[in-house]
Each structure stands twice: as structure tokens, then as C-alpha cells.
Amino acid sequence: MKENKLNMKKLLCLLAVLVTAVTATVTAADFATVGLDAGYNNYYTVNGVARAENTSYVGFNAIKDVKYADVYVGGTLLPSDNINQSHWVAGLGRSLDLNKTFSLRLTADVTRHQSGDVGIVSSTEAGVKLALNNPYVTPYVRGSFDVDLHQNGFAVGLQRVQKLPYGFTITPAAEYGNFTDYNYWSAKATLARPVGFVTPYAEVGWVNDSFGASKYKFATREFNDAVVVAAGLKLTF
């Protein structure tokens, strides 16, 4: 109970700092979109493996349109007494309209996975992603190249945003990934209800991987038909 109170205090303090920073960012740089995200999950996953367990999280993202592309940055903090870690990303994106319905979206970014636990290795990951955006089902393929973990691979997936009555949306998604030392399958569904600039959401998913936690020191466990859940609030400015 004491640990949970400390984690909640950390989360609220970090959220207050991020709100202040984001407000200053919006005023100073005129970003097109700025968002905050805070919640709780039972597993924080990266490329089909668990990086943290039973932790709250708080994050931000910002996108700035420039002449030939858009620039985006983001970060996620996981304030835990056992595994303190953060994940930071910066990248470029470009969309190309094919017609009124379909468009290609290409992104390239670099992510720093910073771990505070001796059992989880910090690493830097470069990634590229190509998606075919449309109102029906969006397929995508992405590549990942981790220079510290020596884990390179790709993932392919599908997702769709489906409108529901009373302003709700549900987003089912599925993904298969194949990396140097493991592969995985995942599926999830996210239920959300935007209310102005605030969007509460709940997510439930399934993950199965061939990762050996005793052999590779960058995840907390193997996923054998594991259920992954998350719930939180997103704020968009």
C-alpha cells in the first residue's frame, strides 16, 4: 500500500511537470498537436516483450509540421520503486495522398529505452514504418534495429478505428513480429470515448512470444498467451 501511494505521488508530480512543459512548448513552438497520456498497465511492452510490470505511466507527444515533413517527439515515464525507466522518441514523418481514400504514411525515428533496473539493458532503437491509411483497415510494416541489444527485425500489422454509438470508438489491432532471437503474435482492442480534449480509454490484449527471459536480459518475462491490459486518460491540445 505504501509503495502504491509513493508511485501515485510520483505519477502526479510528473504529470504536473509535463503539463507545465507542454503548455510552454505549445506557446513557444506552435506545435500542431500536443498530447498527454497517463494511466496504468500490467505489462509495458516493447516489440512484443515485457519491459516493466504492474506500473503506472505518464507520457507526452508533440508534432510540428515543417515544409516537407512533420517532426514528432515523445516520451513515456514509468515511475516505479522497483523498475524506474523511460522511453524517448524523436522522428520524421511524411504522408502522400494516393487518392481521396488512401494515403501512404512513412515515418523514421530513433527511440531511447532507458532502464533503471540492473536486469534490464538500456538500448537505442532505430525504426521505420510504412502504413496505408484509409477508412477501412490500415495495414502497415515496420522495421526495427536495436544497436545495443543486437535485435533487428520487422513487424506487420493491421488496425481499424470503428465508431460505436454514443461517441465511443473501438480500435482492434493485430501484429506479428520477427526479430533476431524471437518472434511474437499480438492482438488487442482499445475502447475510447472522447469528451472535448480528454479521452478516457481501456485496452485489453493478448501476446504470445518465443522470447527466453532467462537467456536475453532485456525483458522481465516470457509471454505465453498473456493477457495485457491498460487504462488511462489522454489529453490533446
Side-chain angles (χ1 to χ4, degrees):
M1 180 67 70
K2 183 177 180 181
E3 180 179 330
N4 290 336
K5 288 182 178 179
L6 288 173
N7 290 340
M8 182 57 66
K9 185 176 180 180
K10 284 184 178 181
L11 180 63
L12 292 174
C13 290
L14 287 169
L15 186 58
V17 170
L18 284 176
V19 168
T20 303
V22 166
T23 302
T25 299
V26 173
T27 303
D30 191 25
F31 276 87
T33 303
V34 177
L36 295 174
D37 185 8
Y40 175 88
N41 57 20
N42 63 338
Y43 299 111
Y44 185 85
T45 63
V46 175
N47 292 330
V49 298
R51 289 295 187 96
E53 300 183 18
N54 300 315
T55 181
S56 54
Y57 57 88
V58 59
F60 80 97
N61 60 81
I63 302 175
K64 169 73 173 178
D65 292 326
V66 293
K67 187 173 182 180
Y68 296 108
D70 52 71
V71 180
Y72 58 91
V73 295
T76 301
L77 309 176
L78 292 88
S80 170
D81 289 339
N82 297 321
I83 302 177
N84 295 300
Q85 60 179 272
S86 59
H87 304 265
W88 306 95
V89 62
L92 297 170
R94 177 70 185 267
S95 296
L96 175 65
D97 292 334
L98 301 178
N99 52 43
K100 293 182 179 180
T101 304
F102 293 89
S103 66
L104 287 174
R105 169 74 174 170
L106 177 65
T107 59
D109 52 44
V110 176
T111 303
R112 178 62 181 176
H113 305 290
Q114 191 67 36
S115 173
D117 185 85
V118 294
I120 305 295
V121 178
S122 299
S123 67
T124 300
E125 174 188 358
V128 293
K129 181 179 179 180
L130 180 65
L132 179 63
N133 293 329
N134 63 85
Y136 312 114
V137 177
T138 298
Y140 64 85
V141 58
R142 63 182 182 88
S144 172
F145 313 92
D146 196 303
V147 297
D148 298 299
L149 302 181
H150 307 293
Q151 293 295 315
N152 305 321
F154 70 92
V156 293
L158 299 168
Q159 64 181 34
R160 170 184 169 84
V161 179
Q162 176 64 50
K163 292 183 179 180
L164 298 176
Y166 306 106
F168 286 89
T169 63
I170 188 168
T171 305
E175 185 175 85
Y176 168 76
N178 190 302
F179 286 76
T180 302
D181 293 312
Y182 70 96
N183 57 68
Y184 68 90
W185 291 90
S186 68
K188 65 180 181 180
T190 306
L191 182 67
R193 175 57 166 92
V195 182
F197 67 93
V198 180
T199 301
Y201 65 91
E203 183 176 285
V204 60
W206 163 87
V207 184
N208 189 75
D209 64 33
S210 63
F211 181 83
S214 61
K215 184 177 181 181
Y216 307 110
K217 302 300 184 181
F218 55 88
T220 61
R221 66 170 59 235
E222 301 172 38
F223 279 142
N224 295 313
D225 296 323
V227 176
V228 179
V229 296
L233 289 173
K234 291 183 179 180
L235 287 75
T236 304
F237 304 94

